[in-house]
Amino acid sequence: MLSQSSTVYRILFAISLVHLLNDSLQAVIPAVLPILQTNLNLSYFNLGVILLVMNMTASVFQPVIGYFSDRKPRPVLLPLGMLSSGLGMLGIAFAPNYAVLLVAVAFVGLGSAVFHPEASKVAYLASGARRGLGQSIFQVGGNSGQALAPIMTTLIFIPLGQGGAAWFSLTALLALGVLLFIAYWYGKREKINKAMKSAAALYNHKNQRITALILLVLFVSVRSWIQASYQSFYPLYLIHDFGYSMSAAELYMFVYMLAGAVGTFFGGPIADRFGKRNLLIVSTLGALPFTLLIPYVTGFWAYPLLMINGLIMMSSFSVAVVYAQELMPGRVGMVSGLITGLSFGMGGIGASALGKMADSLGLSFVIIFCSIMPVIGLIGFFLPKDATLEEWEQEAA
């Protein structure tokens, strides 16, 4: 039997693959927005509400599911969540009106809400002592799936239209098969609760930990506003303000999201060397000089600008999860749900607000507004240092 410190790479890569497939299903929604806007005659506010429904259903339930799964693991939830996402894909493909579309989007969001906290626990268990590396492997799968959105638009939705979403039910079916294998391993893993329980440490410096967690959720929430802006509104900005074709605009997003996936992968090892808190700060404030240029740079030079921005800003994606897990020991599922779920739901609220802002003030104002938002990195200076978290852990030992 493997020890608690052993790293089970086959499970890490398997859950990362499913993360890629799951988040590629989520990425269908922003990718198909230009098609839906035309087919169903939707306003920018309507598009923002779609993102709101997606993010809220995919996020609000995550910490709740994580809380209860911390008490008792439920491996069966993994394949059931993927089944919900597959049904949602079919609903999006054949939705005849806006109301049906929102229900289908909610199914996809619910499936994601079930997947993420349980999958984060699987990654936690499979990582052993190498949690930073394990979380990077897991999260890079999700970011790679999100990066597929622009390619989906170009290769699938432009030629096939809204009905192209039906093909992604096959993606859900493939993910379901892999999850059955993972769920079997997860269910057989002995003493899962013991592996997740160091809850006594949670009550050491409890108030400071909770305050830091609130700040961290705020940090990730604002970062997700920026992500929602670029992923959903930047291509429309290029199309409507600069006359780009849909394919050309989506190519810029592919470069940005792909660079973000690379940044996510290397962020974990970098944080292990230089500190998680330090990377959280650098990944936002360090991106600010580049985000300030994004509204004004088009053509060839926009590619390296977006690439550098994606590399820097998304380098702390997995690090935020690991930092939260160390901040709140014994609550791995719950805090994973908060960081990857609830905070991104807040990003959905931001997307809705940004859509309303775009209707009133124009897309260019939204992109400029989001270009200054990385100043949120200043919050990082109020978070406990890595050394402080280690001291708290030693005190509770």
Side-chain angles (χ1 to χ4, degrees):
M1 177 180 172
L2 293 172
S3 69
Q4 297 288 354
S5 62
S6 299
T7 303
V8 189
Y9 286 101
R10 71 180 187 279
I11 296 298
L12 280 177
F13 285 114
I15 199 67
S16 180
L17 171 62
V18 177
H19 200 184
L20 184 154
L21 297 174
N22 178 83
D23 283 24
S24 71
L25 297 180
Q26 285 185 256
V28 165
I29 294 169
V32 79
L33 286 182
I35 304 297
L36 294 173
Q37 184 180 37
T38 301
N39 288 0
L40 301 178
N41 193 27
L42 304 179
S43 67
Y44 289 122
F45 176 70
N46 293 144
L47 299 183
V49 171
I50 292 173
L51 295 174
L52 173 64
V53 170
M54 174 64 206
N55 283 279
M56 291 302 291
T57 54
S59 61
V60 171
F61 293 107
Q62 279 200 40
V64 177
I65 293 170
Y67 174 80
F68 286 106
S69 66
D70 281 338
R71 294 171 172 266
K72 181 180 180 180
R74 293 171 173 83
V76 71
L77 289 178
L78 288 168
L80 287 179
M82 190 56 60
L83 179 62
S84 175
S85 294
L87 293 175
M89 284 297 103
L90 292 175
I92 291 171
F94 302 109
N97 54 56
Y98 187 54
V100 174
L101 176 65
L102 291 180
V103 173
V105 168
F107 266 85
V108 177
L110 181 60
S112 182
V114 171
F115 169 78
H116 279 99
E118 286 295 279
S120 292
K121 290 177 66 177
V122 169
Y124 180 93
L125 287 171
S127 298
R130 308 187 69 180
R131 294 176 187 170
L133 174 63
Q135 193 63 223
S136 289
I137 292 173
F138 170 63
Q139 294 292 351
V140 78
N143 281 14
S144 299
Q146 294 174 22
L148 292 175
I151 301 301
M152 294 176 192
T153 301
T154 301
L155 299 181
I156 298 175
F157 295 118
I158 290 178
L160 298 180
Q162 182 179 342
W167 287 99
F168 289 93
S169 60
L170 298 178
T171 301
L173 186 62
L174 173 60
L176 182 61
V178 179
L179 282 174
L180 290 174
F181 161 72
I182 294 172
Y184 176 79
W185 177 87
Y186 185 22
K188 289 292 185 180
R189 184 81 170 186
E190 295 184 9
K191 301 179 181 179
I192 292 178
N193 281 333
K194 182 179 179 180
M196 312 305 292
K197 295 290 184 182
S198 53
L202 177 62
Y203 299 100
N204 180 29
H205 300 279
K206 182 178 179 181
N207 291 336
Q208 293 97 316
R209 291 178 187 272
I210 293 175
T211 299
L213 182 63
I214 292 171
L215 291 176
L216 184 63
V217 169
L218 176 61
F219 172 91
V220 180
S221 297
V222 175
R223 189 181 62 186
S224 69
W225 282 39
I226 303 170
Q227 189 79 355
S229 169
Y230 290 151
Q231 188 172 358
S232 302
F233 295 114
Y234 185 73
L236 296 172
Y237 170 66
L238 293 177
I239 292 169
H240 294 167
D241 286 39
F242 294 96
Y244 279 67
S245 68
M246 187 180 299
S247 298
E250 292 292 346
L251 183 59
Y252 284 99
M253 271 301 90
F254 173 71
V255 170
Y256 173 76
M257 298 300 292
L258 184 62
V262 175
T264 296
F265 181 77
F266 287 104
I270 292 173
D272 288 338
R273 181 175 178 82
F274 297 104
K276 301 175 185 66
R277 173 181 175 269
N278 292 338
L279 188 61
L280 289 172
I281 296 170
V282 171
S283 69
T284 47
L285 294 181
L288 184 59
F290 302 100
T291 61
L292 289 174
L293 293 174
I294 284 178
Y296 310 104
V297 177
T298 57
F300 171 80
W301 291 108
Y303 288 113
L305 182 63
L306 288 166
M307 182 181 297
I308 295 171
N309 186 42
L311 279 169
I312 296 175
M313 186 166 294
M314 296 308 294
S315 62
S316 64
F317 190 92
S318 62
V319 174
V321 178
V322 177
Y323 184 88
Q325 291 171 348
E326 294 181 358
L327 183 65
M328 305 291 282
R331 299 290 185 267
V332 172
M334 186 186 73
V335 297
S336 297
L338 281 172
I339 299 303
T340 62
L342 184 59
S343 56
F344 283 95
M346 296 302 293
I349 295 175
S352 180
L354 291 172
K356 186 67 175 178
M357 189 183 297
D359 284 331
S360 302
L361 302 174
L363 278 171
S364 59
F365 181 86
V366 168
I367 301 301
I368 293 172
F369 176 74
C370 290
S371 71
I372 65 174
M373 290 177 69
V375 296
I376 194 66
L378 292 171
I379 285 181
F381 290 104
F382 297 94
L383 295 173
K385 296 180 180 179
D386 293 47
T388 301
L389 294 182
E390 292 176 4
E391 291 174 4
W392 290 353
E393 184 178 355
Q394 291 172 1
E395 290 175 10

